[in-house]
Amino acid sequence: MLRLDRYILAKYIKTFLLALALIIIIVITFDLSEKLDDFLGHHAPLSKIILEYYFNFIPGFVNLYSPLFIFIAVIFFTSKMAGNTEVIAILGAGISYRRMLRPYLYGSVIVALVVLLLGNFVIPYSNRTLNEFEENYVKHRKTSYYHNIHFQSEAGVQIYTENYDVPLKRASKFRREVYDNKGRLRQREVCDFITYDTVSGLWRCDGYSLRTIDKNGKENLTFQDRADVDLHITPADLDLRAQHIETMPTPALIQHIQRETLRGTGTVKQAKIELWQRILNPLAIIVMTFIGVAVASRKTRGGIGLHLAIGIAIAFAFILFMKVTTVFATNGDLSPFMSILLPQIIFGAAACYLVYKAPK
């Protein structure tokens, strides 16, 4: 690396961290003023507010808005360099504009990798702790009772239950149906109530009936007032709280998508959007970096103020476009992968055009 690379890279990282720290302080101040009554009303300990809430709130906030923070940082220090004629001096020394962009690329890749690791492996655990804190001290309500659960637990096996109580691990009006590969019913288990036994790993069924149908169509029906049965499901399959996709590390999220695709539930599309956001959103940091340097490297009369105004307008247009494509993926026919990639492609092309047209 040349001295120039180290100089620009240091400015890149320092300005980003400074902008990040200032915005986080502002956001925490507003958030604290908004939730202070909830903290006091629910007697939240100060240690938990700091360590469980804000300590876990910051990584998610940084991951979500890091492209915007990077963009503001690049606009700010590059515009200042242009105002001090440093960019002109760099180009006048025989260093090409393309070569000058190399430390910007280094910095954006470093930040993108950090954001990628945070989003896929750190923030899900932070979100889990954050959700638990909010349920105890902010919202002060835990969803512990679910109605009308219906899913496919494995190929050809349908599960139905009218109600499920999470703390008691108890469901009512339970039914499990097994179909063959031609869609014909082969077995049906019906229980008035089922309760999970954590010791044996079986379900205690009250009012249990088992109906089987062989290949010749002969039926066999048995009744028991109470029976311990392996229903091939666990309490986590019925507890919808355990399926919060924002709390799943990426390997678990991929398994969740595979399982929910088999089960035929309506949460698959949202889970795929979450997965591709974690993987592709770090690309926005690189895209916004090059848009920022292309906009701010030109010396203008408006200086930093004009560059910031243009930059923030472009950044919010990018964020708005990402939200629109996500809505089309959620409620329309746009694939989750394309809903996340399309804004990157369009604004990436815009970044290439701006860099090409930048004064050199």
Side-chain angles (χ1 to χ4, degrees):
M1 294 178 68
L2 300 177
R3 182 178 296 178
L4 173 64
D5 296 328
R6 294 193 294 270
Y7 175 74
I8 294 178
L9 185 58
K11 279 184 172 290
Y12 186 101
I13 300 296
K14 288 178 183 178
T15 309
F16 168 63
L17 294 177
L18 178 61
L20 193 62
L22 291 175
I23 295 174
I24 286 175
I25 291 172
I26 294 171
V27 169
I28 288 178
T29 301
F30 279 101
D31 186 76
L32 182 61
S33 64
E34 180 184 348
K35 293 188 171 67
L36 186 59
D37 290 340
D38 293 318
F39 293 157
L40 296 176
H42 297 128
H43 307 290
L46 179 60
S47 60
K48 289 193 174 184
I49 293 174
I50 297 173
L51 298 178
E52 293 187 10
Y53 184 69
Y54 285 112
F55 187 77
N56 292 290
F57 170 82
I58 291 173
F61 182 80
V62 171
N63 180 71
L64 184 62
Y65 294 105
S66 54
L68 178 59
F69 299 155
I70 281 290
F71 195 58
I72 293 173
V74 170
I75 288 282
F76 182 80
F77 83 82
T78 305
S79 181
K80 194 171 180 181
M81 287 175 60
N84 294 334
T85 65
E86 293 180 62
V87 174
I88 295 175
I90 292 170
L91 299 177
I95 296 177
S96 67
Y97 188 82
R98 183 177 177 182
R99 177 62 181 84
M100 190 189 74
L101 295 177
R102 189 180 295 178
Y104 289 93
L105 176 63
Y106 295 156
S108 62
V109 169
I110 291 171
V111 176
L113 289 175
V114 171
V115 169
L116 183 67
L117 292 174
L118 284 175
N120 286 276
F121 301 105
V122 177
I123 292 174
Y125 296 104
S126 298
N127 287 338
R128 190 177 303 172
T129 305
L130 192 63
N131 288 349
E132 291 176 358
F133 179 91
E134 288 183 338
E135 287 178 347
N136 290 324
Y137 299 109
V138 180
K139 301 172 185 177
H140 206 59
R141 62 180 185 272
K142 290 186 177 181
T143 305
S144 58
Y145 206 75
Y146 296 100
H147 304 276
N148 300 322
I149 300 173
H150 171 211
F151 61 90
Q152 181 176 249
S153 62
E154 53 187 288
V157 180
Q158 299 288 335
I159 302 293
Y160 308 83
T161 185
E162 186 172 296
N163 299 293
Y164 179 66
D165 190 316
V166 176
L168 297 179
K169 295 182 175 60
R170 181 179 175 88
S172 63
K173 296 185 179 179
F174 176 86
R175 186 163 77 252
R176 180 177 182 269
E177 297 177 348
V178 180
Y179 296 84
D180 62 16
N181 54 11
K182 295 183 179 180
R184 294 174 297 192
L185 180 65
R186 290 305 180 194
Q187 180 178 300
R188 174 181 288 166
E189 294 173 279
V190 179
C191 304
D192 294 333
F193 297 96
I194 60 171
T195 307
Y196 188 70
D197 187 340
T198 56
V199 177
S200 64
L202 301 176
W203 291 90
R204 176 156 294 176
C205 302
D206 296 314
Y208 175 75
S209 66
L210 173 63
R211 178 189 178 197
T212 57
I213 305 173
D214 62 20
K215 295 181 180 180
N216 298 321
K218 183 179 179 181
E219 298 187 21
N220 182 39
L221 185 62
T222 59
F223 292 94
Q224 290 179 266
D225 290 334
R226 174 170 287 186
D228 291 332
V229 183
D230 182 7
L231 298 175
H232 304 284
I233 59 172
T234 65
D237 294 319
L238 302 176
D239 183 2
L240 301 184
R241 292 185 312 171
Q243 300 176 16
H244 289 174
I245 56 177
E246 71 275 8
T247 65
M248 298 180 185
T250 296
L253 180 60
I254 293 173
Q255 293 177 359
H256 172 78
I257 291 172
Q258 295 171 345
R259 184 174 64 251
E260 294 304 301
T261 301
L262 174 65
R263 288 163 60 132
T265 62
T267 63
V268 176
K269 187 173 287 188
Q270 192 61 43
K272 287 182 177 180
I273 292 174
E274 173 72 17
L275 174 64
W276 289 118
Q277 281 179 336
R278 295 181 184 183
I279 295 173
L280 296 178
N281 274 357
L283 291 177
I285 294 171
I286 301 175
V287 171
M288 299 308 285
T289 293
F290 283 102
I291 292 178
V293 70
V295 169
S297 59
R298 177 181 301 180
K299 187 175 182 179
T300 60
R301 287 184 179 180
I304 296 178
L306 179 61
H307 289 157
L308 281 176
I310 296 173
I312 290 174
I314 294 174
F316 277 105
F318 181 54
I319 294 171
L320 178 62
F321 190 43
M322 290 185 68
K323 295 295 182 184
V324 170
T325 55
T326 301
V327 171
F328 273 105
T330 304
N331 303 316
D333 296 328
L334 187 64
S335 71
F337 174 72
M338 286 305 301
S339 71
I340 307 302
L341 186 62
L342 190 59
Q344 317 277 4
I345 293 175
I346 292 175
F347 279 82
C352 293
Y353 176 78
L354 290 172
V355 168
Y356 175 76
K357 286 295 185 179
K360 301 174 178 62

